Amino acid sequence: MKDALAIHRWLLAHQVHHEIVRLPRPMTCAEELPDTLSAAPERCLMVTVLEVTTRIGREVVIAVTSTVAAPPRPGLVGERLGLRRVRPAPAHLVNSVTDYADGLVCPLLLPESLPMFIDDRLITDAEPIFMTTGERHTALTVGALDLLTLLPGKMVDLRAARSRGTREAVALRH
């Protein structure tokens, strides 16, 4: 399994300023980052691993990086990417595909064979972004712009489509 030390070494090799933070209490998933670090959910990242079926019927595993504030909805991911079926991957598959613990997947150091999609709502300023390291007791902070240069994958619009029809009330008949 990958851990904070592997990420730290990789970031040093790429000369990226970062910090590994020792957490005051252990986490079980990325959704706990905002409370554990007293950080805004929009500044905390999570990786969601999904099992998908393509239009031609091929079974594939993909990863989606998003903020904790706006996790990807499987149906919307399927719609945006033109997939037939999308469902969360089971823990054992997440562990084997990513080499990270399920729920604590870091968006860095993922295998090149794993298709990665990045929610285009990620913040693009110089302030720090927080993410898990695969370990329960540590987190990683990296500048948002630095992170975006490091993340492999395709940016995708994962905003929910708004209804374009008119909204009018219709009285029920008695």
Side-chain angles (χ1 to χ4, degrees):
M1 289 284 193
K2 293 182 184 124
D3 59 7
L5 183 58
I7 295 167
H8 173 68
R9 288 178 176 157
W10 186 81
L11 289 170
L12 284 176
H14 285 84
Q15 299 180 351
V16 175
H17 180 72
H18 66 282
E19 184 178 352
I20 303 291
V21 178
R22 182 105 174 122
L23 301 175
R25 63 180 183 273
M27 292 186 309
T28 58
C29 62
E31 289 89 346
E32 296 174 15
L33 271 172
D35 290 336
T36 305
L37 293 171
S38 297
E42 298 80 22
R43 301 212 73 84
C44 298
L45 297 187
M46 63 185 290
V47 175
T48 304
V49 180
L50 303 166
E51 282 185 301
V52 303
T53 303
T54 64
R55 286 190 180 180
I56 59 172
R58 211 170 117 221
E59 298 280 331
V60 182
V61 177
I62 66 169
V64 179
T65 299
S66 65
T67 66
V68 170
R73 296 192 339 239
L76 187 60
V77 171
E79 177 186 313
R80 294 290 195 255
L81 300 178
L83 302 168
R84 251 202 252 170
R85 188 179 73 189
V86 179
R87 66 178 184 259
H92 69 87
L93 185 59
V94 173
N95 296 346
S96 67
V97 169
T98 65
D99 204 23
Y100 284 108
D102 180 42
L104 299 172
V105 178
C106 180
L108 303 174
L109 295 179
L110 290 172
E112 289 181 20
S113 60
L114 179 65
M116 170 68 86
F117 297 93
I118 304 160
D119 188 338
D120 72 351
R121 293 176 286 182
L122 293 186
I123 297 171
T124 57
D125 58 18
E127 296 300 312
I129 295 285
F130 303 92
M131 64 200 85
T132 57
T133 63
E135 297 176 349
R136 299 179 66 210
H137 297 279
T138 59
L140 170 68
T141 65
V142 177
L145 290 175
D146 290 334
L147 179 66
L148 288 176
T149 63
L150 296 170
L151 285 180
K154 179 181 178 183
M155 298 293 275
V156 177
D157 178 7
L158 293 179
R159 290 172 186 83
R162 294 187 182 188
S163 174
R164 288 186 169 74
T166 60
R167 295 179 188 246
E168 58 184 57
V170 178
L172 294 174
R173 291 191 175 186
H174 297 236

